[in-house]
Structures are given as structure tokens and as C-alpha cells.
Amino acid sequence: MNLSNEQLLEIYEYINYARCMGERLEYFIKTGKILGAIHLPKGQEGLQAGLIMTLMDARKNGIKINTNPHTRDQALMSKLIGLQPYADEMLCKTSGINGGTSGEYHMTCVEKGFLPAQGVLGPVWGQNAGYAWALKDQGKTNEVVWGIYGDGASSRGDAWEAMNIAALFKVPMVFIVVNNGWAMANPVEKEAPVQDLSLRAQGSGMRGITVDGNDPIAVFEAMVEANKLAMGGEPNLVEFKVTRWGGHFLGDNQEVYRDTSFLKHLDEIDPVLNYHKKLLAMGLVKQEDLQRVHDEQDAIILKAYEDGMNKPAPTVAEICDPNKVYGGAY
Amino acid sequence: MTQVIVPTLGQTNLDVTIEKWFKNVGDTVKEGEPLYELSSEKLTQEIEAPVSGTLTKIYKQVGETAANGDLLAEIE
Ligand SMILES: Cc1ncc(C[n+]2csc(CCOP(=O)(O)OP(=O)(O)O)c2C)c(N)n1
Ligand SMILES: [Mg+2]
């Protein structure tokens, strides 16, 4: 696939957006504005940019993506449902996508393709496969489901059952495995006897491929192809290899279980910097663009959070309303 | 004046212990510079100054515990 200069620059915007989203999340957690254990996306921006690009490209082509973003997909989440409803939800405001009652974990908006998910890891792939089955049953041929799980979550037993049934029923679903090498304090070598988790697709007769998740172009190309296959009745699996830079959540002291010497050489593996260098070599951007585009994206995200800050919070009665669980999707 | 308050980092609302102040009252602080370190069970985190200015008050000393949302310091 040959990407146009416009497309390459669009990805440049998204990769900076993803970086800024992570930085601002960290800032607002540390200043006490956002509460709870948030899993920061630092280091995984290449994947975010590629997935967002695929989402936007699909929308342009009249294809609806339905997905449960995984823990570190905040940039994708906000692009799915819109930045302001996302930020307001993170700040627990009534103007949030679910009235400020769902927090990050249970954000839901079926209309925009944000499927409900629970905190227990493992079962959601099965629910995704069920949703994809319903799409097929209803003849909705311009929709596809992305089940996004990490290396840890996809190692659970129910994940295999989901792959089996999806392949058997030929549902329009792409299984996405974000392999960042760690599930909390557990390294991937201790959860899987294979190097490439994409091998697991073979057990259900599905195609499985492994892609460098740091390269947003490779992610975009792989996902366009994966969508096409899935919508043609060939569910499949794509593993993206990335690096988790920080602890499992902000505050997790990873020093006690992980060799973090790689953090001294981040310039070599930084997906944002590497993408910038690629466009620089092509003459598409200038050196100073990196800071400028970063600051532009940062200003957009900062404004959304600042605008959200002074809005009203839900009452206790509203928070406890069972009809609001999963955004009223059930 | 900007208030520095105890953030909620983990999944549980545990009290945190102030491990270290990188600045003293009267010091100039720059936004993004390490200001203090907190810890609780399974959790250690350095926290940066939210704004630039002068650290005018410290409400919790090293070794003291604090709850989420407590006022820790003021920067002017
Ligand atoms: C069944 C279950 N066990 C444990 C947890 C706690 N938990 C939350 S995230 C996580 C690690 C997930 O790792 P991975 O899927 O690789 O995603 P990553 O955090 O690396 O993005 C664990 C163990 C959970 N939510 N559900
Ligand atoms: Mg992982």
C-alpha cells in the first residue's frame, strides 16, 4: 500500500496526539484531577497512531469499527467517542460520555463503536465474538469488531474459546494482541511458551501475523488488510510487538522486578521520534515541526480537560443508578 | 497560589507516606521538577511540581501519612 503524503502527515498528527494524551493523563493524575489506577500508554504511541489512522480511514470508507480499547488505548478511546466526552468522563462530569459514572474501565458508547467491557480480563473477546456474530446475523456487512487484549489478557483460557468460536462461525472480527512484554510484573516469557503470540491463531485455523507495533505505517497497513479479511468471513489475529516504558500503572515501582536500563536509551526506540526521523528523511517535515505539532496537539488535549474541569459532577444517586451501568447499553 | 494535593494512584484508597521532599520551604520550583516522593503498599512515585513558583508551605513532613486529596503544600 502506498500512502500519500497527506496520509503520512495525518499519522504524524495522531502519533503526537497519542504522546500528548499520555503526558497529560500523567499530569492530571499527579495533580489529583483524575483518580485511580491509570495504565499509561508511554512507548506504545506507534500502535495508537496506526489504529487511529485505520479507524479514521474506515470511517471515510463507510466502515464502522466496534471495539473495546485495552488498558493503554486512551488515545484511541478519545478518537472513537470524541475528545470532550472522553475527557469529561475521565474527570467524572455529567457531560462525560456516560454521565461521569463509568470511569476509564467501563466507558461505553455502542453507537460510536465503543463496546462495553468488564474489568475481568479474558471474557471480553468472547463477548466481542458474540457481537460480531450478531453483526453477521443481521447482515451488517460494513462493520467489523476489534477485540484488543494484551499479552497477559489473551493468555487466559476464555480467550482461546473466543478464537475457536469466531473462526468456526466466520464472524467479522480481528483479534488484536498488544504484546508489550509484560502483564503487570509478569514477563511474557513466563506466560507463553512461544515467542510470537500470533502462532495461537493457528489452533483455530485462523491467519495470525506479528507486526512491529512501533511503526504506525505497518500497523495501518496490517489493520486495513485484517479488516478486509475479517469482513470477508475470515476472522484473524494480529499481534503487535511494543515496549511498555513505565510501570503497570502510574505508581507501580517496576524497578523491583524489571531491568529498566533501556530507559537510558529511549531515543533509539521512541516510536514518535523514529516516525519523525522517517518523515524528516523524506523531506515531509522539518526539524522544528516535532515540537510545534506536539504543542498543537497538547493544546487541544489540555483545553478539553480544562473545559471539563469546571463542569458539574454527578450526584450519588446518579452514580448508583443501575440503569447507567455500561452507559445504559444493557 | 496553587495547592499541591495527594493524588490517587492505585486501585485502592490507601494512605500514603511522604518519603522525601526534594525542595524546602522558600525554594524556587520549576514546573515538572521533582517535588516530593510518596509511597504506600506496592507503590512508590516521584511527583513533579505542577507549576513554577516559590514553595511557601509544606503541610506534611517526611514520614507523615496523608490521605488522597489532602493538602500537602502550597506554591506561589
Ligand atoms: C482475570 C483477571 N486477572 C487479573 C486482573 C488484574 N490485571 C489487570 S491488568 C493486568 C495485566 C494485563 O496485562 P496485559 O494484558 O499484557 O496488558 P498490559 O497491561 O500489558 O497493557 C492484570 C493482571 C484482571 N483484571 N483480570
Ligand atoms: Mg502486556
Side-chain angles (χ1 to χ4, degrees):
Chain A
M1 190 158 59
N2 255 338
L3 272 68
S4 67
N5 288 351
E6 262 168 31
Q7 285 178 307
L8 292 170
L9 289 172
E10 192 178 339
I11 293 174
Y12 190 56
E13 178 192 310
Y14 298 149
I15 203 166
N16 277 285
Y17 176 85
R19 171 62 47 89
C20 295
M21 177 59 82
E23 289 171 349
R24 280 298 164 192
L25 279 169
E26 181 168 347
Y27 173 79
F28 285 121
I29 295 163
K30 285 180 171 175
T31 48
K33 306 285 193 227
I34 293 176
L35 311 180
I38 303 291
H39 309 83
L40 293 176
K42 249 193 223 162
Q44 303 186 186
E45 294 88 350
L47 173 64
Q48 288 301 297
L51 292 179
I52 292 170
M53 184 64 190
T54 318
L55 168 74
M56 296 305 180
D57 183 67
R59 283 182 174 174
K60 271 183 205 153
N61 291 306
I63 296 166
K64 185 178 178 197
I65 308 287
N66 303 279
T67 182
N68 288 123
H70 192 46
T71 44
R72 295 169 213 284
D73 296 331
Q74 294 94 351
L76 175 66
M77 294 179 196
S78 61
K79 290 289 185 186
L80 254 186
I81 59 174
L83 176 58
Q84 197 64 56
Y86 170 82
D88 290 1
E89 191 63 33
M90 293 297 283
L91 294 164
C92 307
K93 303 299 184 182
T94 52
S95 45
I97 191 80
N98 299 132
T101 61
S102 72
E104 187 189 58
Y105 296 156
H106 306 297
M107 245 181 237
T108 303
C109 182
V110 175
E111 199 188 329
K112 293 189 173 161
F114 199 140
L115 302 181
Q118 74 231 46
V120 179
L121 299 174
V124 178
W125 266 8
Q127 295 156 11
N128 291 165
Y131 195 85
W133 188 20
L135 290 178
K136 184 180 173 180
D137 202 42
Q138 293 166 9
K140 293 185 177 165
T141 52
N142 59 342
E143 295 195 36
V144 62
V145 177
W146 294 353
I148 313 182
Y149 260 168
D151 44 281
S154 61
S155 292
R156 287 253 318 185
D158 20 18
W160 303 79
E161 198 177 328
M163 285 192 276
N164 186 65
I165 205 80
L168 184 67
F169 291 171
K170 302 190 188 327
V171 303
M173 171 160 173
V174 182
F175 293 86
I176 299 177
V177 178
V178 183
N179 183 352
N180 62 5
W182 291 88
M184 252 176 194
N186 206 34
V188 67
E189 304 83 60
K190 288 196 182 170
E191 27 170 296
V194 290
Q195 260 204 334
D196 291 338
L197 302 181
S198 56
L199 269 177
R200 290 173 171 176
Q202 286 185 14
S204 312
M206 289 194 298
R207 189 195 77 152
I209 58 167
T210 294
V211 175
D212 177 6
N214 295 308
D215 177 354
I217 298 175
V219 174
F220 176 50
E221 288 177 341
M223 285 308 299
V224 168
E225 167 82 9
N227 281 345
K228 206 196 260 168
L229 281 176
M231 291 168 72
E234 276 186 65
N236 61 94
L237 184 151
V238 188
E239 173 196 20
F240 292 110
K241 286 211 162 70
V242 291
T243 305
R244 187 189 91 189
W245 287 7
H248 176 62
F249 60 89
L250 182 67
D252 171 32
N253 184 11
Q254 61 175 346
E255 302 289 333
V256 300
Y257 60 79
R258 182 182 187 187
D259 174 8
T260 55
S261 51
F262 74 96
L263 290 171
K264 294 195 193 89
H265 312 285
L266 282 183
D267 275 10
E268 290 160 27
I269 60 162
D270 185 340
V272 183
L273 212 54
N274 282 336
Y275 189 66
H276 171 72
K277 281 184 197 155
K278 183 176 253 170
L279 295 198
L280 206 55
M282 295 173 72
L284 272 182
V285 297
K286 298 193 201 78
Q287 187 55 41
E288 59 269 27
D289 287 338
L290 186 60
Q291 194 62 45
R292 181 183 56 79
V293 175
H294 172 281
D295 292 351
E296 275 170 16
Q297 295 303 311
D298 182 57
I300 292 168
I301 292 168
L302 182 62
K303 182 172 188 310
Y305 279 104
E306 281 179 342
D307 285 353
M309 218 75 85
N310 299 318
K311 293 177 184 169
T315 61
V316 173
E318 282 172 321
I319 291 170
C320 296
D321 181 355
N323 295 317
K324 292 201 166 153
V325 174
Y326 293 118
Y330 292 132
Chain B
M1 193 265 291
T2 301
Q3 297 187 325
V4 178
I5 62 165
V6 180
T8 308
L9 298 182
Q11 256 151 348
T12 41
N13 260 347
L14 293 175
D15 282 356
V16 299
T17 305
I18 307 307
E19 293 291 336
K20 203 185 263 178
W21 279 104
F22 295 103
K23 300 279 172 184
N24 298 310
V25 170
D27 283 357
T28 309
V29 298
K30 249 181 70 189
E31 180 181 343
E33 255 186 344
L35 183 62
Y36 68 98
E37 188 180 290
L38 57 73
S39 75
S40 72
E41 200 187 58
K42 293 192 194 169
L43 196 150
T44 314
Q45 185 65 47
E46 214 172 82
I47 306 283
E48 297 85 15
V51 293
S52 299
T54 306
L55 186 62
T56 50
K57 268 194 187 115
I58 289 183
Y59 290 98
K60 300 277 178 187
Q61 302 302 327
V62 170
E64 283 192 71
T65 57
N68 310 114
D70 277 2
L71 181 60
L72 270 188
E74 286 172 6
I75 298 173
E76 266 177 72

